Amino acid sequence: MNNLHVAIIGAGATGVAAFIALVRQGACKRITLLDASGPAIGQVYASQHPELLCNTSVELMSLLPPHYHDLLHYLHEHTNNEITLADFVSRKIIGDYIQDRYTRYLSLAYQQGISVSFIRDAGKQVMRQPGGDYLIETRQSGTIAADAVIVCTGYTHPAIPEALASYQGDPLFFASPYPEKLMLEKIRPDSHVLIVGTRLSAIDAALVLCRQGCRVSLVSPSGDLPAVRSAVMLRPIQASRLAWLTDSAVISEHVRPDIRKWVIRLLAHASAISLREQFVAEAESIQRLREESELARQDKTEWQYRIVGMINVINQHSHTLPEAVKHSLSAFLRATGRYISAMPLKNAEKLLGYVDSGLLSVEKLRADSLQKSDSGWTLSNPQGEITHFDALVCATGYAPPTHSMTHNGLILADARDTSAAPPRLNNHLQLHLAHSVSPESVWLAGISTHLSVPVVNALFVAVEQVNRIAQQIKRL
Ligand SMILES: Cc1cc2nc3c(=O)[nH]c(=O)nc-3n(C[C@H](O)[C@H](O)[C@H](O)COP(=O)(O)OP(=O)(O)OC[C@H]3O[C@@H](n4cnc5c(N)ncnc54)[C@H](O)[C@@H]3O)c2cc1C
């Protein structure tokens, strides 16, 4: 084992996965974790409500690759013996699992002679020192010196549309559905609630609010809900199918491969069920939700077994693609976002139950016409009908971190110098400063890599990244 001291900034799921990877690989002698919220809590898996499910199956939530059964073993030991790799469990359970594995690897680190410390504070910046090591400036605890740094800071703050920004501070306006406890404490059970957004976090909000008896309207300009899946699991994709994507000789700036066609061919080749039977043509949101739920119930959504393989290949090879291809890839990923971030069938069935009992509606509407009234908000639809709402929940997602790079280091999102450039990463996720010949011993992982990696919004992506990073640190 080398004598390195590695600092991990951010100790949510990604930071804990990085910690475990360093310990498992015996990659360093000393580890310091830094997070103002405490170790192994994070934001994403801190939800306590049993209704808030992961949208990825158990198989994809293990912290110990390639042991995809690790979470399953934990679940059989601590919860329910009948859970399978295909199931979707609550984010609370994943939070408990992360805590458990953090504690286990703390004692393993101790047994292996790796010293571990945790500092309850936020990092502000990481600066390269003349001797080649790094100094992390924190908000309150001074500085920490380390030989290598892994930045695992996750999302920053809710992305609030301009039309809603002025309502911040109102006791019945919620900038995000999380922590859900806050929302549930303040919104009375008989309230009429407007949720702005129709994607996964909006669905989380609708499920917990309808369950406590609120009437809920979900609105967004498209009115599009996520697609429905009964599982999402890893089935490797045959390498020959990817030739055009991985062979840079095939792709040039002037040849823009039609990514949509590639995916259709790939799905058609890999499926026993015809594509016509796997997908729904219906455009109206609720009817589409019904039809997609029925397909998932009948196990016809075979695309759900290809999506992880596709994400892995796209993430692995995107850095080799010319800019033009990267652009068409981004457009394709945006267009297929409702499949990548599809919802579990169980959630779809609950939503349909609330729709049928009159508690839930989904509308294609912009929030621009929203008006504040004495007792809440009013929203008018294109027909001029006005609806009153008692509470307003913004569920339009989170802003990815905007770290920036200076001539000798990295400024972390909250402390961003707006005149500085975004971080440049090499294909090993290592920071590469503008005038430097070699990359730094500073790595970004998880959501922080969003400018370099096409799909980052999944734990399995972050876990794979930190394991690669630990291998590199071991070789330093
Ligand atoms: C609502 C929601 C649901 C999701 N559901 C799923 C799912 O079901 N399946 C899936 O695979 N993915 C899901 N994701 C994607 C998710 O981003 C990944 O799973 C990710 O790995 C989450 O862990 P994280 O540690 O990166 O982020 P977080 O949980 O946000 O943790 C980041 C940590 O970094 C700390 N931090 C931030 N800034 C600093 C700083 N400057 N200094 C020190 N510490 C700092 C924070 O305090 C926090 O503890 C979801 C995302 C969201 C937002």
Side-chain angles (χ1 to χ4, degrees), residues 71-85:
L71 172 60
L72 191 69
H73 291 155
Y74 169 86
L75 293 169
H76 286 175
E77 198 180 324
H78 295 272
T79 61
N80 175 348
N81 231 339
E82 284 165 16
I83 291 180
T84 70
L85 285 174

Side-chain angles (χ1 to χ4, degrees), residues 9-10 12-14 35 37 42-45 54-56 122-123 153 457-459:
I9 306 182
T14 305
D35 194 317
S37 324
Q43 299 184 79
V44 172
Y45 304 102
C54 294
N55 77 324
T56 39
T153 50
N457 190 23
L459 185 60

Side-chain angles (χ1 to χ4, degrees), residues 9-15 34-38 41-45 53-56 60-61 91 121-124 139 152-155 178 201 204 398 412-414 445-447 456-460 462:
I9 306 182
T14 305
L34 183 70
D35 194 317
S37 324
I41 297 172
Q43 299 184 79
V44 172
Y45 304 102
L53 296 186
C54 294
N55 77 324
T56 39
L60 297 182
M61 303 300 284
R91 295 210 295 276
D121 199 351
K124 276 174 73 179
R139 292 208 173 276
C152 305
T153 50
Y155 285 106
Y178 316 110
S201 60
D204 277 353
Y398 280 82
L412 297 171
D414 286 352
I447 304 297
V456 291
N457 190 23
L459 185 60
F460 70 86

